[in-house]
Amino acid sequence: MYDENPAVLIVGGGLAGLSSAVFLAARDVPVVLVEKHAGTMVHPRARSINPRSVELFDQFGLVPKVQEHRSYSSRPGGLLFRGETLAGMEVFRSPLDPPSTVGRVTPQPWAPIDQDKLETVLRERAEELGADIRFATELVSFEQDEEGVTALVRDRVSGAEKTVRAGHLIAADGNRSPVRTALGIGLHGRGLIGSTMTLVFEADLSEPLRGRQLGVCHLDRPVTGTVLLQHDGERRWVFSMPYRPEDGETLADFDDERCVALVREAIGVPDLEVAIVPQLSDGTKVLGYELAARVADRFREGRVLLVGDAAHVMPPTGAFGASTGLADAHNLAWKLAAVHHKEAGPALLDTYDAERRPVAELTVAQALLQMERRTKAPDGKPGGGQGGKPGPDAGRPAAAEG
Ligand SMILES: Cc1cc2nc3c(=O)[nH]c(=O)nc-3n(C[C@H](O)[C@H](O)[C@H](O)COP(=O)(O)OP(=O)(O)OC[C@H]3O[C@@H](n4cnc5c(N)ncnc54)[C@H](O)[C@@H]3O)c2cc1C
C-alpha cells in the first residue's frame, strides 16, 4: 500500500537534516531524507561550528574531513574593521584570529568551516553510511496516526510522487518550517528584528583592501548595517545589507544592475568590475535572511519532531545557530535509534523536548545579549543593528559573525 517504509523520514537537507541522517544511519536506522532544492547552496551562511559540534562529529569520523575543508577565515591575521566604504577611512579595527581552544572544557577546538562545505561533507558521510538522500524532492503533505507517519513526496524533476510510510518524521525544514505550520505549533520570543538581503560576488578588491586581510567588515554604505565577508579570500566575497519587506521591498527588486551598483557603493569604487554569482541551481542570486529570535512552543507533536531552525532561530551573534541545530539532531538521533531498535520505549522521545527546548531558550537569549552588546553605541544607547558601532566584545572571532 506504501511505496517505501523507512524508519525515519527527514524533511530538509540543511545542516540539521543532513546531520540527523548521519547520526541515524550510523546507528543502523533506515532513513530517507528529502530536500526540495536540487543541490546545496553556494552561499557559505554559517562560517564556523563550536567545539561541542566538533565533539559530536568526532563520534562519526567526520573530523578529518571537517579539518580538510577549513575555511579561509581560519588563517591568522584576519581583521574585523569598520568604515564608510571599503576604500575609505577605517574608523575601527580589531584582530579576528579564531581561538584554537576553549580552555579545559573540551580538547576540541572551534572548526572554521563554511556551511556550504560542511553540508557537502555531511551529505557524503550520510550516503556512505547508507542513508537515502534525495535532493530535488519535496514533501507535499503528511498525516500521522498512532503507528506512524504517511507522507506524500514529489520528485521535482520528473514530477513522480511516492507515498512514504515512516515510524517518525524529523522536520528539519528550516525557519519557515511548513511541517511546523501544518501541525499548528506556534512560536514565541522577540520575533523579527530585521531583514537582510545577501549575495555572493566576484571582484578584485586588492586595491581597496590595501593589504588588509578581510575577516568581517561593517560598512555604512549603501546603508548602515552593510556587512562584507570573504568567501574564498581571493576573488569571491559575501555582501549583506538590511532591506525593508515591511515597506513593500522584495528580493525581486534586487536585479543584477542594482546589486552591482550597491556593491560598488559599499566598496567605494564606482567603476569596479563586479560579477554577481548564482547561489542556487535554479540561478537565484539574491537570498533573504531574517534576523529573528523565536522558539517553537513545542518540539514534538506525536511522531513528528522539530530540529534546527524549524525549532528555533536566533541572530548570528555568537555563532550559535548551526551548532544548536546539530546538537538537536544528535540528541534526537540516539533516542530514535534506541526506540527503533526496541532498546527503549517511546516515552524516551518525550525527553527530547524537555531537554532541548530549555537549551534553545537560553541560547536564543544569549545570542540576543551578544547582539545588544555588540551594537550598543558607546553612550549605551542601542546602535544600528548588526552594523551598529562594535561593542566591547567586537573583537571576538569571525565565528561570532556567523
Ligand atoms: C543567507 C543566510 C545566511 C545565514 N548566515 C548565518 C550566519 O552568518 N550565522 C549563523 O549562525 N547562521 C546563519 N544562517 C542561519 C543558518 O544557516 C541556519 O541556522 C542553519 O542553516 C539551520 O539549518 P537547518 O538545517 O535547520 O535549516 P535550513 O538550512 O534552512 O534547511 C532547511 C531545508 O529544508 C528544505 N525544505 C523546506 N521545506 C521543504 C519541503 N517541503 N520539502 C523538502 N525540503 C524542504 C529547504 O529547502 C532547506 O534546504 C544564515 C541563513 C541564511 C539563509
Side-chain angles (χ1 to χ4, degrees), residues 120-140:
T120 306
V121 167
L122 287 170
R123 180 180 180 173
E124 283 170 11
R125 186 72 183 125
E127 284 172 338
E128 262 169 36
L129 290 165
D132 183 345
I133 308 289
R134 299 179 199 165
F135 275 61
T137 307
E138 68 184 328
L139 174 79
V140 179

Side-chain angles (χ1 to χ4, degrees), residues 331-366:
N331 182 293
L332 181 58
W334 76 258
K335 292 171 182 172
L336 280 172
V339 172
H340 172 73
H341 295 303
K342 303 206 177 347
E343 295 157 1
L348 178 64
L349 297 177
D350 292 338
T351 65
Y352 173 66
D353 176 274
E355 288 175 8
R356 291 305 303 167
R357 197 152 47 86
V359 174
E361 307 275 8
L362 180 77
T363 312
V364 170
Q366 286 299 316

Side-chain angles (χ1 to χ4, degrees), residues 368-377 389-393 396:
L368 279 170
L369 275 175
Q370 290 215 20
M371 189 189 78
E372 276 152 24
R373 283 183 73 197
R374 226 175 278 188
T375 58
K376 217 189 280 171
K389 284 206 172 70
D393 64 344
R396 269 182 52 87

Side-chain angles (χ1 to χ4, degrees), residues 11-17 34-37 41 43 45-47 115 119 137-140 172-175 178 198 287-289 307-310 316 319-322 401-402:
V11 182
L15 280 187
V34 293
E35 163 56 53
K36 67 180 178 184
H37 290 311
M41 270 186 202
H43 195 293
R45 297 187 284 165
R47 315 302 298 267
Q115 185 168 335
E119 287 180 355
T137 307
E138 68 184 328
L139 174 79
V140 179
D173 52 349
N175 180 11
T198 181
L287 299 176
Y289 174 40
V307 296
D309 278 18
F320 300 127
E401 307 293 322

